Amino acid sequence: MSNPDSSFSGYAFAGAPLDRGDTLRDDPDALNRLWPDAQVLVLDADGTAFANADGQPFPILGRELGGGPGAAVFLGLTADRRAWFVTEAGTITLRAPNRMDLRQAAAQWPAEVADVFCYARGMSYWHSRNRFCGVCGGAVRFGRAGFIGHCDQCRTEHYPRVDPAVIVAVENAGRLLLGRQSNWAPRRYSVLAGFVEPGETFEQTVAREVFEESKVRVIQSRYMGTQPWPFPGALMVGFFATAHADVPAVDGELEDARWFSAEEVAAAMRRESVDDGQGILLPPPISIARTLINHWHRQQLA
């Protein structure tokens, strides 16, 4: 699926900096040779990463940990053929002065390292939630450098899971549909989103989710881009959509949904510098949600 607009960019985790080295996952000798010079990202059980005193990346070299990769997950290779792995903090004795969560890292770390952190967090979360087989309850043993789980009891194989979800900027006559959930920060509004159900196309999901959440009827939609969003394991598929001039109505999924003018959206953007305490706030710049809003606003100015 290609992006119809090359200017649609700027959100985090979309750089794909690594060659994932699929063939190396079945080559333990090659991984052992890469290990001494490899950069190892260390994650705590809550998904935060080791960081230095300034909150910057704190990868550890494989040789500092000794031995070989063991249970570390092989993530891939940089352009200069240096390997990246991720491992759990509980498996090592080294300590770091600080911790960083992924949202903070997306804003403060070099983009290529934040992208690796995104990938690593998704893999780590999948491992932590699949230690036992969902079919028979037997213990799961991970192989293929961390990319497959084997149940020795019922022989079921388990693979990393990604949950696709659509996220959509819905417009009508120069207005943008935004909503908010009750558990968000006060005054925070964003574009609408929802998970794809079995047997659905992305376009069908756009129409269903928008109607379920706001009672607004979508006329047509077009694909814009995707963002890995490992909170905990989603892939956000971005769309623009046009809709009928329906009056938004919510029935539980959202606390509120409204049409906003370009002027109101521009005022919300200015609030990031000086918050006047009035009006709405927008999602952070690292998100594809914000990129959809920014892109829509630029179109209105044009």
Side-chain angles (χ1 to χ4, degrees):
M1 187 180 287
S2 61
N3 188 334
D5 189 336
S6 59
S7 69
F8 187 81
S9 61
Y11 47 91
F13 314 139
L18 296 181
D19 170 359
R20 298 203 171 202
D22 179 77
T23 58
L24 292 174
R25 295 171 185 169
D26 291 314
D27 192 341
D29 291 336
L31 296 180
N32 277 312
R33 289 193 296 270
L34 290 167
W35 178 253
D37 295 319
Q39 299 184 88
V40 184
L41 194 65
V42 183
L43 302 188
D44 278 323
D46 62 0
T48 56
F50 277 19
N52 65 22
D54 297 323
Q56 290 301 300
F58 191 79
I60 298 169
L61 292 179
R63 66 167 57 93
E64 296 178 69
L65 299 176
V73 177
F74 171 63
L75 299 174
L77 303 169
T78 60
D80 61 1
R81 310 304 288 174
R82 169 174 272 193
W84 273 95
F85 290 81
V86 60
T87 193
E88 297 177 359
T91 65
I92 66 173
T93 57
L94 295 177
R95 294 292 176 262
N98 209 341
R99 298 291 187 276
M100 183 68 65
D101 71 33
L102 185 51
R103 286 182 174 87
Q104 293 173 309
Q108 300 178 34
W109 285 11
E112 63 274 13
V113 185
D115 288 355
V116 173
F117 185 1
C118 168
Y119 176 16
R121 191 185 189 283
M123 291 300 298
S124 177
Y125 181 86
W126 176 68
H127 274 233
S128 70
R129 296 300 187 276
N130 288 273
R131 301 189 189 280
F132 296 94
C133 177
V135 177
C136 73
V140 169
R141 171 177 51 85
F142 292 101
R144 203 166 187 268
F147 278 80
I148 186 170
H150 301 273
C151 175
D152 291 330
Q153 186 165 290
C154 72
R155 307 297 180 185
T156 298
E157 293 184 342
H158 301 271
Y159 296 89
R161 171 176 170 172
V162 176
D163 296 318
V166 300
I167 184 163
V168 53
V170 181
E171 67 173 356
N172 170 270
R175 303 177 301 168
L176 181 66
L177 180 65
L178 300 176
R180 66 166 276 108
Q181 296 182 12
S182 60
N183 60 344
W184 288 356
R187 300 160 50 209
R188 177 83 68 198
Y189 279 74
S190 185
V191 292
L192 276 54
F195 286 100
V196 180
E197 293 184 351
E200 246 182 355
T201 67
F202 289 135
E203 292 82 2
Q204 289 167 344
T205 306
V206 166
R208 175 182 57 78
E209 282 289 345
V210 171
F211 185 77
E212 286 180 359
E213 295 187 359
S214 70
K215 299 302 181 283
V216 170
R217 296 166 296 155
V218 166
I219 299 169
Q220 62 181 6
S221 60
R222 62 188 176 99
Y223 167 79
M224 295 302 297
T226 59
Q227 181 183 36
W229 195 247
F231 302 105
L235 177 67
M236 306 305 296
V237 185
F239 282 84
F240 272 115
T242 56
H244 293 281
D246 299 321
V247 177
V250 297
D251 60 2
E253 288 197 52
L254 294 179
E255 181 181 74
D256 187 29
R258 293 183 242 160
W259 293 110
F260 289 88
S261 68
E263 291 76 16
E264 290 173 305
V265 171
M269 292 176 176
R270 291 193 294 272
R271 268 179 215 109
E272 291 179 335
S273 300
V274 180
D275 186 359
D276 57 9
Q278 305 295 319
I280 66 169
L281 301 174
L282 298 176
I286 68 167
S287 65
I288 194 172
R290 181 57 180 274
T291 300
L292 285 163
I293 294 169
N294 291 350
H295 195 77
W296 174 84
H297 185 254
R298 286 196 300 270
Q299 288 183 325
Q300 305 313 301
L301 296 179

